[in-house]
Amino acid sequence: STLEVFCHDTEEIERAKKFGPLGGNLHTALHEVVGHASGQLEPGVAGPDATLKSYASTLEEGRADLVALYYMMDPKMVELGVMPDLEVGKAEYDGYIRNGLLAQLRRLKEGRNIEEAHMRNRQWVSAWAYEKGKADSVIVKVMRDGHTYYDIRDYHKLRDLFGQLLREVQRIKSQGDGEAGKALVETYGVRVDPAIHREVLDRSAK
């Protein structure tokens, strides 16, 4: 399965099998119900189609994902009885980063940039968090037997990074900051490292 191919270790595989399905369902619910339904434009700011143009869709999908990701590691979710413990949130974080930086590339033809809005947002959210957390080893890139893995070392710091990015993406939308929106997507969400892409295609072929 893709878990065996792309997970960093057995702990990640076990957590994915045990809590992945619930994590995925909760993420979807939070994304659709809380994510898309939240956020306001500042007075006098035009709608995102006018201000963010071709980047409006991927920025909105990323914003909804970030709402979901932020709440997936909130103790309140356990308190409400929506999930048994924060391991569910950890499984969702593992899966999101694993997919955003590696696994989803198997759906992309070699040599192509990412065009699809959801694929773009999964990459720019993941790549931004990876880069911003680098100094603190929040997500660590691990090379093993010529294969690349991403290992989350600090889930709470990653949650904080997701919160920071959510604040910035909401600001971009609320203020209609098209330049900042374009820069975020183009810097982190469009281009693919050809060596990683080739590696992912080889690994998933097996």
Side-chain angles (χ1 to χ4, degrees):
S1 76
T2 57
L3 288 179
E4 271 81 15
V5 176
F6 294 111
C7 283
H8 169 252
D9 54 22
T10 50
E11 183 192 355
E12 195 179 318
I13 293 171
E14 290 310 310
R15 188 160 50 217
K17 286 179 175 169
K18 194 172 177 188
F19 297 115
L22 176 58
N25 287 340
L26 285 175
H27 178 107
T28 301
L30 287 164
H31 172 109
E32 300 297 344
V33 179
V34 186
H36 286 313
S38 64
Q40 293 178 320
L41 299 178
E42 292 186 6
V45 173
D49 287 346
T51 58
L52 308 178
K53 302 187 172 70
S54 65
Y55 300 98
S57 177
T58 189
L59 287 165
E60 174 57 19
E61 293 303 331
R63 195 185 65 82
D65 268 355
L66 285 160
V67 169
L69 290 164
Y70 188 73
Y71 286 111
M72 288 292 306
M73 280 295 288
D74 193 325
K76 189 81 184 166
M77 297 280 282
V78 180
E79 209 182 295
L80 291 168
V82 183
M83 60 194 206
D85 58 45
L86 290 179
E87 288 295 301
V88 179
K90 289 181 180 179
E92 184 56 30
Y93 278 24
D94 289 339
Y96 196 89
I97 296 296
R98 184 170 66 240
N99 189 40
L101 295 179
L102 289 173
Q104 72 168 1
L105 296 178
R106 70 188 191 280
R107 295 173 26 214
L108 191 68
K109 281 207 172 74
E110 200 166 2
R112 295 278 175 89
N113 282 339
I114 299 177
E115 302 294 343
E116 201 274 319
H118 294 79
M119 280 184 78
R120 278 187 167 187
N121 89 248
R122 285 190 287 263
Q123 179 168 294
W124 63 252
V125 168
S126 302
W128 185 95
Y130 169 66
E131 186 176 288
K132 299 301 177 190
K134 236 177 184 171
D136 295 326
S137 300
V138 177
I139 303 169
V140 175
K141 186 180 185 175
V142 178
M143 294 301 297
R144 193 170 62 242
D145 303 326
H147 288 174
T148 309
Y149 300 89
Y150 289 93
D151 186 34
I152 300 171
R153 300 276 167 92
D154 192 329
Y155 291 89
H156 296 286
K157 274 193 179 156
L158 181 52
R159 180 185 187 221
D160 186 55
L161 287 169
F162 285 147
Q164 290 175 38
L165 184 55
L166 173 56
R167 186 169 56 216
E168 172 59 7
V169 174
Q170 184 60 58
R171 183 199 69 75
I172 286 169
K173 187 179 182 184
S174 295
Q175 297 177 350
D177 190 344
E179 282 307 304
K182 177 183 178 179
L184 178 61
V185 177
E186 290 290 344
T187 304
Y188 296 101
V190 178
R191 287 182 299 281
V192 176
D193 178 332
I196 293 265
H197 194 186
R198 173 76 278 176
E199 180 199 318
V200 166
L201 293 173
D202 286 345
R203 281 162 76 177
S204 53
K206 290 178 186 130

